[in-house]
Amino acid sequence: MVSATKVEGEYSFLSKNSHLDQSEGVKIHLYRFGAEHRNDKLKSLACSEQDGPSLLDTILLSQWDNFALKGHLDYDVTACQLKVIGGGRNFVGQLNNKWNPFSLKEYDKFLSFTCLKTNSMKSYEGLLLGIAQGENDRPEVTPSASPPKDGLLVIANAYPVEYGHIFLVPSAINQLSCYWDKVMIGLATKISSEVNNAAFRVFFDSRTSVVSGHMIFQACYFAIPLPVESASTFMVYDGNGKARSDIIVSETVDYPLKALVFTSTNLKALVSVVSEISVSLHDNATAYSLLISNNGTKVFLFPQVKNLVTGCCLSAWECGGYFVYHTKFGFDNASETEISNRMGSVSLEDSTFEDLKHLCCAIADDLCKLMQNVTA
Amino acid sequence: MATSGAPGPDDHDHDHGHGRLASSLTARYSDWVLEALDELPGSFLLTDPALPGHPIVYASGGLAALTGYAPRDVLGRNARLFQGAATDRAAVAGVREAVRTHRAHQAALLNYRRDGAPHWVLLHLAPVFHARDGTLLHFLAVQVPIAPAAATRGATCHAPGPLLAACRDEARVREDLPCATHAGKVFVDMDKRGLEAEEPRVASDREKEMATSTANNIVSALNRYSKLTGLVVSSKRCCSIGIPALSSSLNLSLGRIKQSFVLTDSRLPDMPIIYASDAFTSLTGYSREEILGCNCKVLNGPGTSLEVLEEINQHICSEQACTVDLLSYRKDGSSYCDLLHVSPIRDASGKVAFHIWVHLDMGAKHDFNGLAPEVWLLGAVGAVRVAVRGCQASTMTA
């Protein structure tokens, strides 16, 4: 009754107290979305503030902290100092001498992993959760012996850029990529919506996150607001004077990196427009990053040109205004000017950006017409 | 809830309701307190969190001038009646949190007059405590109209309308008591009055000062008429002196977390509890006033393993997390099997600021959604890590 028990065990959910332990061979927790769970409609005004954390939020945090507790992380990212960089834009700097951007390129592991037979899954501690569509009204967590056929796997990043850093990896890779891109954007946005936590952001980088034609999203909890989220915006499309559009397209004003912002409480409309544009950018071989924030109601698109000096693009969180510094010197001397210059060096030319803006408005307008025809 | 046209008083309930509302004040102050409050300028009301529905027990004449609700329209009702469709949810959540944690708070709110017209007010909320034992007696809410941004500059002091002398007997007419369940729900509700929001307004320094000075006048009037056996009321709770209050944004984030936990401040002597969740107060029976400032050892009792406590201590000293089984005691002396997780929590500087203690009563029924209980506990830990990581050490306390 009063003895200490070390919490041990290879796998958290095989613990003696778990509900899952009866069935031998259970290897994965599968989170199933509620069927069309308040997706297409405006979220009830009251729900976001009054309710506590959502089920998905709690499970992600539980599983991630458990992964950290067992010592699988390379470092404790919460021990890395954060600061808001002076100058008015509130760029955020993190001092982290262990973070290595190349660690993000371990995608081979995921691919081999997702192809593996189910009995090998036990050997992979980083697998936190499977996520798939569900048929019940409410979201639920069920034990599963195999990865979801049409969903994704949540895999912890042992080199986190922030607390709760995860990869969202498609669980089946032998599907047509153009179809899967839309599915992945849809799932990523829906996860953002169901986590329903303002700190949770989902992001995607076209240069580093496409493996064999498949999109891999990432996500983590940023405790501090990202500067791009509070940047001024100018609306460029809201339905062209027709009946109220489900989607609003804006561009950032006075932000050093040109960006487009898609806002909608209609998840399907938002996903349709963003995936159309992603396909176009992909076909044009244009590098871009996506940042999904505000509980899945806002998507930032950062088109980028390759920096001629460094040959690098910025990652989605850098586009959002969050930078990691490897040295104390770099951290102490971080300045808004230096960051603005880095952003400016990958920002599109005015004319190219105008073209992209028109393309986005046209796609949004097509979708708007289509939806009105459907409802008419 | 009806927004206007208060139902006629029910004769049978009349005396009972009237007596209950009036005694909320007269039990603690002299009979002259109502006259004294009526003399004071400004738009304000007092609510009693101890009564069911957290009703308004006093409304000033100035409130009638500002909102169109005469005192008899609002007495016995919950103060959320002033809110409406376009009232900002986040601002309301901040007010709710202040009520829940018994803290003073100022917020700009879009309220609605009795005729349905929206208007911007600065709400100044202050808890009123019994000075000796720190029990919460009332909440004081002052409303100051916020002038439009353009008009603020150079405007002369915008005093509330002339004071209406409220008739006490008239004011004591009872109306339907709302049956909200607990004090935390006060001041908030949505009336579907379909009016569009205008530009959000920000209160000027002048308006903020006015709200604060009005509130101070009221508290000193209450002090003068206090008959709590010679004790005075005070807007500062005495028992929590020395325990820094957390910033309102941190309080708001922590308040969403459903698990039973406390935070202790590792930088203060004896690691006092500086935050306790609602689930913790219902698990242990201790009220927030009782537990804040205490050390976690108040939960220990006969049979609590000293070895386990020593193990926890060692983990705290080495900044490590640990999960243990422990025998813990509630306030009423009953014991329970406690699955306890203790973990250091770091702020934005990367240094340990707090320790979180998540308690789980293993004897109670829980839905862990297929996770092991010791993993389920960590959901609260993760949420607290994110909330505290967003806080600069200097802004953590308010």
Side-chain angles (χ1 to χ4, degrees):
Chain A
M1 173 159 50
V2 292
S3 69
T5 48
K6 270 241 172 82
V7 177
E8 285 174 334
E10 272 296 284
Y11 234 9
S12 62
F13 33 83
L14 292 177
S15 148
K16 62 180 159 60
N17 290 321
S18 166
H19 293 271
L20 299 182
D21 60 357
Q22 282 85 3
S23 45
E24 275 300 312
V26 168
K27 303 295 195 303
I28 184 173
H29 290 289
L30 183 58
Y31 177 90
R32 291 184 179 279
F33 293 121
E36 298 305 313
H37 177 63
R38 65 173 190 228
N39 263 341
D40 291 349
K41 297 180 185 70
L42 260 165
K43 280 186 182 176
S44 151
L45 279 166
C47 75
S48 59
E49 288 295 337
Q50 278 181 339
D51 297 351
S54 68
L55 177 59
L56 184 55
D57 192 24
T58 305
I59 289 186
L60 283 178
L61 289 168
S62 298
Q63 291 283 72
W64 208 86
D65 209 71
N66 189 44
F67 181 75
L69 190 61
K70 290 184 186 168
H72 295 307
L73 292 179
D74 218 44
Y75 50 86
D76 177 5
V77 72
T78 67
C80 297
Q81 192 180 349
L82 282 183
K83 74 167 181 183
V84 173
I85 296 163
R89 291 194 192 276
N90 294 333
F91 288 129
V92 183
Q94 182 195 126
L95 174 59
N96 183 341
N97 54 18
K98 294 190 177 126
W99 187 71
N100 174 1
F102 298 106
S103 63
L104 297 180
K105 295 187 176 164
E106 294 186 4
Y107 294 117
D108 287 351
K109 191 164 74 183
F110 305 138
L111 288 178
S112 55
F113 172 65
T114 52
C115 296
L116 287 174
K117 294 283 174 265
T118 54
N119 60 2
S120 318
M121 287 171 66
K122 193 179 170 187
S123 64
Y124 196 71
E125 287 277 356
L127 173 60
L128 303 183
L129 196 66
I131 298 183
Q133 288 293 347
E135 279 105 42
N136 293 344
D137 287 346
R138 301 188 53 198
E140 56 179 357
V141 183
T142 54
S144 172
S146 59
K149 284 194 184 63
D150 53 355
L152 52 76
L153 298 172
V154 176
I155 292 172
N157 183 357
Y159 304 87
V161 75
E162 249 309 339
Y163 189 78
H165 194 158
I166 50 177
F167 295 109
L168 306 174
V169 184
S171 59
I173 58 159
N174 49 356
Q175 305 267 356
L176 286 173
S177 69
C178 57
Y179 165 74
W180 261 95
D181 284 353
K182 188 167 177 180
V183 171
M184 279 304 289
I185 294 176
L187 286 169
T189 313
K190 191 151 183 177
I191 287 169
S192 175
S193 161
E194 294 236 346
V195 168
N196 197 27
N197 180 329
F200 187 76
R201 271 70 156 217
V202 182
F203 40 91
F204 171 79
D205 295 301
S206 67
R207 280 291 166 89
T208 53
S209 304
V210 178
V211 180
S212 336
H214 292 282
M215 300 174 89
I216 293 181
F217 281 78
Q218 301 176 50
C220 63
Y221 289 82
F222 287 105
I224 298 180
L226 296 177
V228 74
E229 293 166 340
S230 47
S232 311
T233 57
F234 177 77
M235 192 179 60
V236 293
Y237 176 82
D238 72 337
N240 281 346
K242 288 188 283 289
R244 201 173 57 81
S245 166
D246 267 337
I247 190 156
I248 293 170
V249 185
S250 323
E251 64 178 300
T252 52
V253 182
D254 191 32
Y255 189 74
L257 176 59
K258 293 191 190 76
L260 288 160
V261 192
F262 302 86
T263 312
S264 176
T265 48
N266 180 330
L267 194 140
K268 271 188 186 158
L270 191 61
V271 168
S272 300
V273 171
V274 172
S275 50
E276 278 293 314
I277 290 157
S278 295
V279 169
S280 299
L281 289 169
H282 183 77
D283 291 347
N284 274 323
T286 306
Y288 67 97
S289 297
L290 296 174
L291 171 71
I292 306 174
S293 73
N294 204 17
N295 305 347
T297 61
K298 207 172 234 191
V299 180
F300 293 85
L301 167 66
F302 305 99
Q304 297 181 43
V305 292
K306 208 172 190 177
N307 182 313
L308 292 174
V309 182
T310 61
C312 285
C313 293
L314 296 181
S315 61
W317 58 83
E318 288 171 326
C319 295
Y322 190 98
F323 288 81
V324 176
Y325 294 87
H326 291 92
T327 63
K328 184 93 172 74
F329 181 82
F331 180 73
D332 288 341
N333 292 286
S335 76
E336 188 167 299
T337 318
E338 168 243 342
I339 290 173
S340 297
N341 289 342
R342 274 174 78 181
M343 285 185 167
S345 72
V346 296
S347 194
L348 286 194
E349 299 271 335
D350 284 345
S351 62
T352 326
F353 187 72
E354 283 299 310
D355 291 346
L356 177 64
K357 201 161 82 186
H358 289 139
L359 176 70
C360 290
C361 292
I363 289 172
D365 200 39
D366 284 351
L367 183 95
C368 189
K369 282 179 191 149
L370 194 70
M371 288 194 139
Q372 273 162 2
N373 290 342
V374 171
T375 53
Chain B
M1 181 191 298
T3 59
S4 61
D10 182 312
D11 284 334
H12 178 70
D13 281 346
H14 184 122
D15 288 341
H16 177 63
H18 150 148
R20 195 167 53 148
L21 292 178
S23 67
S24 171
L25 284 169
T26 51
R28 286 129 177 178
Y29 310 99
S30 85
D31 291 344
W32 301 106
V33 69
L34 293 173
E35 269 82 1
L37 290 174
D38 287 346
E39 295 287 314
L40 291 173
S43 162
F44 62 92
L45 51 86
L46 288 165
T47 64
D48 188 342
L51 292 179
H54 194 167
I56 297 170
V57 295
Y58 176 83
S60 75
L63 187 81
L66 180 67
T67 65
Y69 288 98
R72 66 165 178 277
D73 296 333
V74 297
L75 286 178
R77 295 179 66 181
N78 185 286
R80 63 177 166 243
L81 73 102
F82 300 109
Q83 262 100 52
T87 307
D88 180 34
R89 302 297 308 167
V92 166
V95 174
R96 184 193 305 116
E97 190 58 25
V99 169
R100 204 177 64 82
T101 54
H102 306 172
R103 284 151 39 80
H105 185 68
Q106 280 194 345
L109 285 177
L110 184 72
N111 272 359
Y112 289 77
R113 292 197 177 89
R114 185 174 183 165
D115 61 10
H119 66 135
W120 281 95
V121 297
L122 174 67
L123 175 70
H124 177 100
L125 181 80
V128 179
F129 297 108
H130 193 306
R132 191 178 59 182
D133 63 10
T135 39
L136 179 69
L137 303 174
H138 292 112
F139 275 98
L140 165 64
V142 178
Q143 295 184 10
V144 173
I146 303 178
T152 313
R153 196 179 304 253
T156 52
C157 186
H158 187 140
L163 200 60
L164 305 179
C167 167
R168 269 173 56 196
D169 289 327
E170 186 189 46
R172 287 176 175 174
V173 173
R174 180 195 185 253
E175 71 161 81
D176 237 12
L177 282 168
C179 35
T181 49
H182 71 286
K185 285 186 178 160
V186 78
F187 300 119
V188 285
D189 199 3
M190 295 298 285
D191 277 333
K192 299 296 172 208
R193 276 173 276 191
L195 285 156
E196 292 301 314
E198 47 178 323
E199 273 298 293
R201 289 193 195 163
V202 180
S204 67
D205 288 346
R206 184 195 299 274
E207 285 150 355
K208 287 178 184 167
E209 281 164 24
M210 195 160 121
T212 310
S213 73
T214 307
N216 289 343
N217 285 342
I218 298 159
V219 171
S220 42
L222 292 177
N223 266 324
R224 282 198 301 278
Y225 291 89
S226 171
K227 66 173 182 191
L228 293 164
T229 56
L231 297 169
V232 293
V233 289
S234 154
S235 58
K236 277 210 178 64
R237 178 193 291 139
C238 57
C239 71
S240 63
I241 286 169
I243 303 304
L246 297 176
S247 75
S248 55
S249 63
L250 182 55
N251 248 314
L252 202 57
S253 312
L254 296 176
R256 295 181 74 226
I257 303 168
K258 293 284 179 260
Q259 281 102 328
S260 160
F261 71 97
V262 296
L263 296 183
T264 58
D265 192 329
S266 352
R267 293 170 293 204
L268 293 177
D270 204 31
M271 287 185 71
I273 294 173
I274 47 107
Y275 182 88
S277 72
D278 283 347
F280 177 84
T281 59
S282 47
L283 167 66
T284 61
Y286 288 103
S287 72
R288 200 165 269 111
E289 295 91 83
E290 288 166 332
I291 203 74
L292 291 185
C294 297
N295 182 281
C296 282
K297 65 189 169 214
V298 295
L299 301 180
N300 303 344
T304 304
S305 163
L306 294 175
E307 294 89 66
V308 174
L309 293 176
E310 180 53 31
E311 185 190 341
I312 296 171
N313 265 336
Q314 283 172 5
H315 279 88
I316 287 174
C317 292
S318 57
E319 300 194 345
Q320 300 286 314
C322 65
T323 307
V324 296
D325 288 320
L326 197 65
L327 188 69
S328 291
Y329 286 82
R330 298 186 183 85
K331 187 188 176 188
D332 63 10
S334 61
S335 64
Y336 63 97
C337 290
D338 197 356
L339 181 66
L340 172 63
H341 177 86
V342 185
S343 183
I345 303 287
R346 296 166 185 277
D347 64 18
S349 71
K351 304 224 160 56
V352 175
F354 304 125
H355 279 84
I356 183 173
W357 306 60
V358 197
H359 296 266
L360 187 70
D361 176 6
M362 292 305 286
K365 289 265 176 225
H366 296 281
D367 183 5
F368 303 115
N369 288 286
L371 299 184
E374 59 268 27
V375 177
W376 183 250
L377 287 182
L378 300 178
V381 180
V384 171
R385 283 197 211 289
V386 173
V388 176
R389 181 147 172 78
C391 297
Q392 300 287 334
S394 56
T395 61
M396 196 112 69
T397 54

PDB file of all heavy atoms in Angstrom, chain A residues 56-70:
ATOM      1  N   LEU A  56      -7.761  14.502 -27.365  1.00  0.00           N
ATOM      2  CA  LEU A  56      -6.553  14.335 -28.176  1.00  0.00           C
ATOM      3  C   LEU A  56      -5.391  15.133 -27.584  1.00  0.00           C
ATOM      4  O   LEU A  56      -4.253  14.659 -27.544  1.00  0.00           O
ATOM      5  CB  LEU A  56      -6.839  14.780 -29.626  1.00  0.00           C
ATOM      6  CG  LEU A  56      -5.705  14.569 -30.626  1.00  0.00           C
ATOM      7  CD1 LEU A  56      -5.235  13.125 -30.642  1.00  0.00           C
ATOM      8  CD2 LEU A  56      -6.145  14.995 -32.029  1.00  0.00           C
ATOM      9  N   ASP A  57      -5.685  16.335 -27.103  1.00  0.00           N
ATOM     10  CA  ASP A  57      -4.664  17.175 -26.463  1.00  0.00           C
ATOM     11  C   ASP A  57      -4.041  16.432 -25.275  1.00  0.00           C
ATOM     12  O   ASP A  57      -2.820  16.314 -25.159  1.00  0.00           O
ATOM     13  CB  ASP A  57      -5.342  18.473 -25.987  1.00  0.00           C
ATOM     14  CG  ASP A  57      -4.355  19.547 -25.564  1.00  0.00           C
ATOM     15  OD1 ASP A  57      -3.196  19.505 -26.035  1.00  0.00           O
ATOM     16  OD2 ASP A  57      -4.734  20.424 -24.779  1.00  0.00           O
ATOM     17  N   THR A  58      -4.898  15.909 -24.417  1.00  0.00           N
ATOM     18  CA  THR A  58      -4.407  15.228 -23.215  1.00  0.00           C
ATOM     19  C   THR A  58      -3.589  13.993 -23.571  1.00  0.00           C
ATOM     20  O   THR A  58      -2.534  13.742 -22.990  1.00  0.00           O
ATOM     21  CB  THR A  58      -5.597  14.819 -22.325  1.00  0.00           C
ATOM     22  OG1 THR A  58      -6.373  15.991 -22.057  1.00  0.00           O
ATOM     23  CG2 THR A  58      -5.137  14.219 -21.020  1.00  0.00           C
ATOM     24  N   ILE A  59      -4.060  13.236 -24.569  1.00  0.00           N
ATOM     25  CA  ILE A  59      -3.335  12.013 -24.922  1.00  0.00           C
ATOM     26  C   ILE A  59      -1.977  12.344 -25.541  1.00  0.00           C
ATOM     27  O   ILE A  59      -0.967  11.715 -25.216  1.00  0.00           O
ATOM     28  CB  ILE A  59      -4.198  11.149 -25.858  1.00  0.00           C
ATOM     29  CG1 ILE A  59      -5.341  10.564 -25.038  1.00  0.00           C
ATOM     30  CG2 ILE A  59      -3.373  10.055 -26.508  1.00  0.00           C
ATOM     31  CD1 ILE A  59      -6.186   9.596 -25.767  1.00  0.00           C
ATOM     32  N   LEU A  60      -1.939  13.339 -26.413  1.00  0.00           N
ATOM     33  CA  LEU A  60      -0.653  13.714 -27.009  1.00  0.00           C
ATOM     34  C   LEU A  60       0.334  14.157 -25.934  1.00  0.00           C
ATOM     35  O   LEU A  60       1.491  13.739 -25.927  1.00  0.00           O
ATOM     36  CB  LEU A  60      -0.842  14.847 -28.026  1.00  0.00           C
ATOM     37  CG  LEU A  60      -1.420  14.466 -29.385  1.00  0.00           C
ATOM     38  CD1 LEU A  60      -1.587  15.713 -30.250  1.00  0.00           C
ATOM     39  CD2 LEU A  60      -0.521  13.461 -30.098  1.00  0.00           C
ATOM     40  N   LEU A  61      -0.137  15.004 -25.014  1.00  0.00           N
ATOM     41  CA  LEU A  61       0.746  15.491 -23.950  1.00  0.00           C
ATOM     42  C   LEU A  61       1.181  14.345 -23.038  1.00  0.00           C
ATOM     43  O   LEU A  61       2.349  14.255 -22.652  1.00  0.00           O
ATOM     44  CB  LEU A  61       0.049  16.584 -23.141  1.00  0.00           C
ATOM     45  CG  LEU A  61      -0.134  17.925 -23.849  1.00  0.00           C
ATOM     46  CD1 LEU A  61      -1.078  18.832 -23.079  1.00  0.00           C
ATOM     47  CD2 LEU A  61       1.205  18.617 -24.050  1.00  0.00           C
ATOM     48  N   SER A  62       0.238  13.450 -22.692  1.00  0.00           N
ATOM     49  CA  SER A  62       0.567  12.315 -21.821  1.00  0.00           C
ATOM     50  C   SER A  62       1.636  11.452 -22.464  1.00  0.00           C
ATOM     51  O   SER A  62       2.643  11.114 -21.845  1.00  0.00           O
ATOM     52  CB  SER A  62      -0.660  11.434 -21.585  1.00  0.00           C
ATOM     53  OG  SER A  62      -1.664  12.131 -20.950  1.00  0.00           O
ATOM     54  N   GLN A  63       1.395  11.077 -23.718  1.00  0.00           N
ATOM     55  CA  GLN A  63       2.306  10.169 -24.393  1.00  0.00           C
ATOM     56  C   GLN A  63       3.669  10.818 -24.607  1.00  0.00           C
ATOM     57  O   GLN A  63       4.701  10.175 -24.509  1.00  0.00           O
ATOM     58  CB  GLN A  63       1.713   9.736 -25.740  1.00  0.00           C
ATOM     59  CG  GLN A  63       0.493   8.847 -25.608  1.00  0.00           C
ATOM     60  CD  GLN A  63       0.867   7.419 -25.231  1.00  0.00           C
ATOM     61  OE1 GLN A  63       1.269   7.147 -24.108  1.00  0.00           O
ATOM     62  NE2 GLN A  63       0.757   6.498 -26.172  1.00  0.00           N
ATOM     63  N   TRP A  64       3.657  12.114 -24.909  1.00  0.00           N
ATOM     64  CA  TRP A  64       4.934  12.790 -25.169  1.00  0.00           C
ATOM     65  C   TRP A  64       5.725  12.935 -23.880  1.00  0.00           C
ATOM     66  O   TRP A  64       6.920  12.692 -23.843  1.00  0.00           O
ATOM     67  CB  TRP A  64       4.696  14.168 -25.808  1.00  0.00           C
ATOM     68  CG  TRP A  64       5.846  14.573 -26.675  1.00  0.00           C
ATOM     69  CD1 TRP A  64       6.022  14.244 -27.979  1.00  0.00           C
ATOM     70  CD2 TRP A  64       6.979  15.363 -26.307  1.00  0.00           C
ATOM     71  NE1 TRP A  64       7.196  14.776 -28.439  1.00  0.00           N
ATOM     72  CE2 TRP A  64       7.808  15.462 -27.452  1.00  0.00           C
ATOM     73  CE3 TRP A  64       7.378  15.983 -25.131  1.00  0.00           C
ATOM     74  CZ2 TRP A  64       9.005  16.170 -27.445  1.00  0.00           C
ATOM     75  CZ3 TRP A  64       8.575  16.682 -25.130  1.00  0.00           C
ATOM     76  CH2 TRP A  64       9.378  16.777 -26.277  1.00  0.00           C
ATOM     77  N   ASP A  65       5.050  13.324 -22.809  1.00  0.00           N
ATOM     78  CA  ASP A  65       5.771  13.496 -21.549  1.00  0.00           C
ATOM     79  C   ASP A  65       6.270  12.150 -21.038  1.00  0.00           C
ATOM     80  O   ASP A  65       7.353  12.055 -20.451  1.00  0.00           O
ATOM     81  CB  ASP A  65       4.868  14.171 -20.503  1.00  0.00           C
ATOM     82  CG  ASP A  65       5.688  14.982 -19.509  1.00  0.00           C
ATOM     83  OD1 ASP A  65       6.225  16.046 -19.898  1.00  0.00           O
ATOM     84  OD2 ASP A  65       5.833  14.535 -18.363  1.00  0.00           O
ATOM     85  N   ASN A  66       5.503  11.097 -21.299  1.00  0.00           N
ATOM     86  CA  ASN A  66       5.928   9.758 -20.907  1.00  0.00           C
ATOM     87  C   ASN A  66       7.180   9.346 -21.685  1.00  0.00           C
ATOM     88  O   ASN A  66       8.120   8.774 -21.126  1.00  0.00           O
ATOM     89  CB  ASN A  66       4.790   8.771 -21.171  1.00  0.00           C
ATOM     90  CG  ASN A  66       5.073   7.407 -20.594  1.00  0.00           C
ATOM     91  OD1 ASN A  66       5.538   7.299 -19.463  1.00  0.00           O
ATOM     92  ND2 ASN A  66       4.816   6.371 -21.374  1.00  0.00           N
ATOM     93  N   PHE A  67       7.189   9.676 -22.978  1.00  0.00           N
ATOM     94  CA  PHE A  67       8.345   9.409 -23.836  1.00  0.00           C
ATOM     95  C   PHE A  67       9.569  10.152 -23.285  1.00  0.00           C
ATOM     96  O   PHE A  67      10.668   9.598 -23.196  1.00  0.00           O
ATOM     97  CB  PHE A  67       7.998   9.889 -25.243  1.00  0.00           C
ATOM     98  CG  PHE A  67       9.066   9.670 -26.272  1.00  0.00           C
ATOM     99  CD1 PHE A  67       9.312   8.402 -26.783  1.00  0.00           C
ATOM    100  CD2 PHE A  67       9.807  10.740 -26.752  1.00  0.00           C
ATOM    101  CE1 PHE A  67      10.289   8.209 -27.749  1.00  0.00           C
ATOM    102  CE2 PHE A  67      10.787  10.549 -27.713  1.00  0.00           C
ATOM    103  CZ  PHE A  67      11.027   9.278 -28.214  1.00  0.00           C
ATOM    104  N   ALA A  68       9.353  11.405 -22.871  1.00  0.00           N
ATOM    105  CA  ALA A  68      10.445  12.198 -22.306  1.00  0.00           C
ATOM    106  C   ALA A  68      10.904  11.617 -20.969  1.00  0.00           C
ATOM    107  O   ALA A  68      12.096  11.511 -20.695  1.00  0.00           O
ATOM    108  CB  ALA A  68       9.984  13.645 -22.121  1.00  0.00           C
ATOM    109  N   LEU A  69       9.916  11.216 -20.151  1.00  0.00           N
ATOM    110  CA  LEU A  69      10.215  10.699 -18.808  1.00  0.00           C
ATOM    111  C   LEU A  69      11.092   9.452 -18.875  1.00  0.00           C
ATOM    112  O   LEU A  69      11.927   9.209 -18.009  1.00  0.00           O
ATOM    113  CB  LEU A  69       8.886  10.372 -18.119  1.00  0.00           C
ATOM    114  CG  LEU A  69       8.889  10.038 -16.640  1.00  0.00           C
ATOM    115  CD1 LEU A  69       9.411  11.220 -15.855  1.00  0.00           C
ATOM    116  CD2 LEU A  69       7.478   9.687 -16.190  1.00  0.00           C
ATOM    117  N   LYS A  70      10.894   8.656 -19.911  1.00  0.00           N
ATOM    118  CA  LYS A  70      11.671   7.429 -20.043  1.00  0.00           C
ATOM    119  C   LYS A  70      13.063   7.678 -20.597  1.00  0.00           C
ATOM    120  O   LYS A  70      13.809   6.727 -20.837  1.00  0.00           O
ATOM    121  CB  LYS A  70      10.925   6.464 -20.943  1.00  0.00           C
ATOM    122  CG  LYS A  70       9.681   5.900 -20.315  1.00  0.00           C
ATOM    123  CD  LYS A  70       9.098   4.894 -21.251  1.00  0.00           C
ATOM    124  CE  LYS A  70       7.776   4.373 -20.796  1.00  0.00           C
ATOM    125  NZ  LYS A  70       7.184   3.623 -21.910  1.00  0.00           N
TER     126      LYS A  70
END
